[in-house]
Amino acid sequence: MDKTPLLFALGALLLAGCGLNGDAGYQAGYAARLAGDDDKAFAYYLNAARSDDYPEARLEVADMYLQGRGTRQDTGQAISWFRQLANADDPQWSRQAHRQLGLIYRGDYGAEYRNRRKAADHFRRCADQGDADCGRLLALLTPPSLRVVAAGSQSVASGLPAVDIYARHAASVYKIVVYEQLGADFEPLSVGSAIAIDSYRAITSYHLLQAGGVPVSIDSSPDGGTVQESDVQVWQVARVDPRRDLALLTLAEPVRPLNFTDTMASFDRVRVGEKVFAIGAPAGLDKTLTEGIVSARRTENGVRLIQTTAPVTYGSSGGALFNTEGNLIGMTVKGVQAGGNFNFALAMDEVQAFLAE
């Protein structure tokens, strides 16, 4: 039996018998929403929202103004109601309101109210009240960037051993599998790697994503172990640059912050003959370390590339190339099998330029 009409009738009786007080208005609004009558639901919620005892009604009114449900769409009115909640003493309602205000000022509901400073302020207040996702949203407001390290005094033959490079950076290089949804099933389209550059973002090769699909990684430890459901991370494609073969990924619903690498050495510091280390997922083998030397510095169609003897095979694209100081110098992009084994990494200067655009 469908109980929705009964609930609506009870709500109407409550409304009539209690003189439109906050409780009656909220209950009647809830019943009207269940009945699918947004117009009446909005009217009832609006009545209840005038009472300080019903912050949940204020939240409903603000959301309905924001979505244009049961009333005209009016972002200004939504902001007004969210602000009332944001100033409430109860953090349960305050942090929800701050989060929604942050999204509005981020530009999620149109450019008219976009204001990065206000968005950051609301996300910060929400995060301070214990909402971890607001911390993520605050971090994502800041454009990603890599720290360029000054030239060191190490010679070509010196530097960190391979074991230290791996221990320090393997956790920041993720195997990426791009899946296509086919009905109820998911089929892999491509396999590659990605380098996390802050707690919620990573860079990878655009060609892995060119055919569409959903990028997924497994946040497993470098030494293996049982994979848990909580280790699976789903990514969104934030921006791409086909000319540089670059893509910026953000975590869709992060299980935990990423391990990341954010230091780089510029292309001008790369020396032919110096030892380098690559970490990626060749043939899908997660967090594989290989080593080689820099064979040449090249420019192809205006894009700076590092040629190396460190192998770059299927699955390595989007992986990391480090110098002996443990700084990123490139993102591995391709290997060419033509009378030899020629491997290439995109110079990190190109990545930095892409992130700054």
Side-chain angles (χ1 to χ4, degrees), residues 230-243:
S230 60
D231 294 329
V232 178
Q233 303 261 38
V234 179
W235 299 80
Q236 295 174 329
V237 181
R239 198 153 54 86
V240 300
D241 184 341
R243 184 178 72 88

Side-chain angles (χ1 to χ4, degrees), residues 30-47:
Y30 179 72
R33 189 182 69 179
L34 289 180
D37 192 335
D38 284 342
D39 292 345
K40 286 185 177 179
F42 176 77
Y44 291 142
Y45 281 139
L46 186 61
N47 173 71

Side-chain angles (χ1 to χ4, degrees), residues 174-176 191-194 208 280-285 312-319 332:
Y174 293 80
K175 175 176 136 180
I176 295 287
V191 177
S193 305
L208 299 174
L285 299 172
V312 179
T313 59
Y314 176 74
S316 299
S317 295
T332 52

Side-chain angles (χ1 to χ4, degrees), residues 116 139-147 197-198 200-203 238-239 248-250 351-357:
R116 184 180 293 270
L140 291 177
L141 277 181
T142 304
S145 180
L146 296 162
R147 293 188 295 113
I197 56 172
D198 65 21
Y200 305 103
R201 290 175 285 204
I203 52 170
R239 198 153 54 86
L248 176 66
L249 303 177
T250 61
V351 175
Q352 187 80 306
F354 165 69
L355 296 176
E357 290 171 354

Side-chain angles (χ1 to χ4, degrees), residues 35-161:
D37 192 335
D38 284 342
D39 292 345
K40 286 185 177 179
F42 176 77
Y44 291 142
Y45 281 139
L46 186 61
N47 173 71
R50 296 190 176 100
S51 169
D52 291 337
D53 297 331
Y54 277 87
E56 56 266 59
R58 292 180 177 179
L59 186 65
E60 292 285 354
V61 168
D63 280 336
M64 293 180 86
Y65 268 126
L66 193 60
Q67 299 167 24
R69 186 165 48 85
T71 185
R72 72 187 188 284
Q73 198 282 330
D74 191 328
T75 305
Q77 281 286 351
I79 289 172
S80 177
W81 284 100
F82 280 132
R83 280 178 177 165
Q84 291 183 49
L85 281 173
N87 294 325
D89 294 331
D90 189 339
Q92 174 187 354
W93 306 107
S94 177
R95 67 173 166 259
Q96 288 187 63
H98 280 303
R99 187 181 191 280
Q100 286 288 12
L101 286 167
L103 294 174
I104 290 171
Y105 288 122
R106 191 175 71 171
D108 288 26
Y109 297 92
E112 180 182 359
Y113 291 94
R114 184 177 294 138
N115 185 312
R116 184 180 293 270
R117 181 186 59 79
K118 288 184 177 181
D121 180 59
H122 287 293
F123 287 144
R124 186 175 296 107
R125 294 188 184 196
C126 173
D128 289 345
Q129 291 175 331
D131 191 316
D133 194 54
C134 282
R136 176 183 69 91
L137 293 169
L138 178 61
L140 291 177
L141 277 181
T142 304
S145 180
L146 296 162
R147 293 188 295 113
V148 182
V149 297
S153 59
Q154 296 172 329
S155 67
V156 173
S158 67
L160 296 172

